[in-house]
């Protein structure tokens, strides 16, 4: 019986963050490096499309989309240190 090895959650988060940066859905604060949501619906859809078409190894397309959504939900639109 084969067991499917699941990626480490930290790897999944890093993959999702990289994908969101690449799609332009989030950006890093220039001064502090915190991720900020750009609130760009087209960039979000691009990120979801990439996740669906090319999920991280070990994730189904639905799991990849959920990982991207989870990261997006955790990112605010302002840097906590810039307030």
């Amino acid at each position: 019986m084969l067991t499917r090895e699941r990626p480490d959650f930290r790897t999944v988060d890093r993959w999702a963050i990289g994908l969101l940066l690449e799609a332009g859905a989030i950006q890093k604060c220039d001064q502090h490096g915190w991720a900020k949501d750009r609130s760009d619906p087209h960039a979000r859809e691009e990120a979801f499309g990439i996740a669906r078409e090319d999920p991280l190894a070990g994730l189904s397309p639905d799991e990849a989309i959920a990982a991207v959504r989870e990261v997006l939900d955790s990112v605010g639109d302002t840097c906590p240190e810039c307030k």
Side-chain angles (χ1 to χ4, degrees), residues 19-83:
L19 191 148
L20 288 164
L21 285 167
E22 179 182 327
I26 62 174
Q27 64 187 13
K28 288 187 178 182
C29 169
D30 292 333
Q31 292 180 327
H32 305 105
W34 288 91
K36 300 187 301 182
D37 188 343
R38 292 190 56 239
S39 300
D40 181 341
H42 300 291
R44 285 175 174 232
E45 286 306 313
E46 176 71 17
F48 290 134
I50 294 169
R52 184 180 307 109
E53 297 297 320
D54 190 20
L56 180 66
L59 294 181
S60 71
D62 289 338
E63 291 169 327
I65 290 169
V68 169
R69 188 174 317 265
E70 187 175 312
V71 169
L72 268 175
D73 289 346
S74 71
V75 173
D77 60 353
T78 59
C79 170
E81 293 185 45
C82 287
K83 289 182 179 181

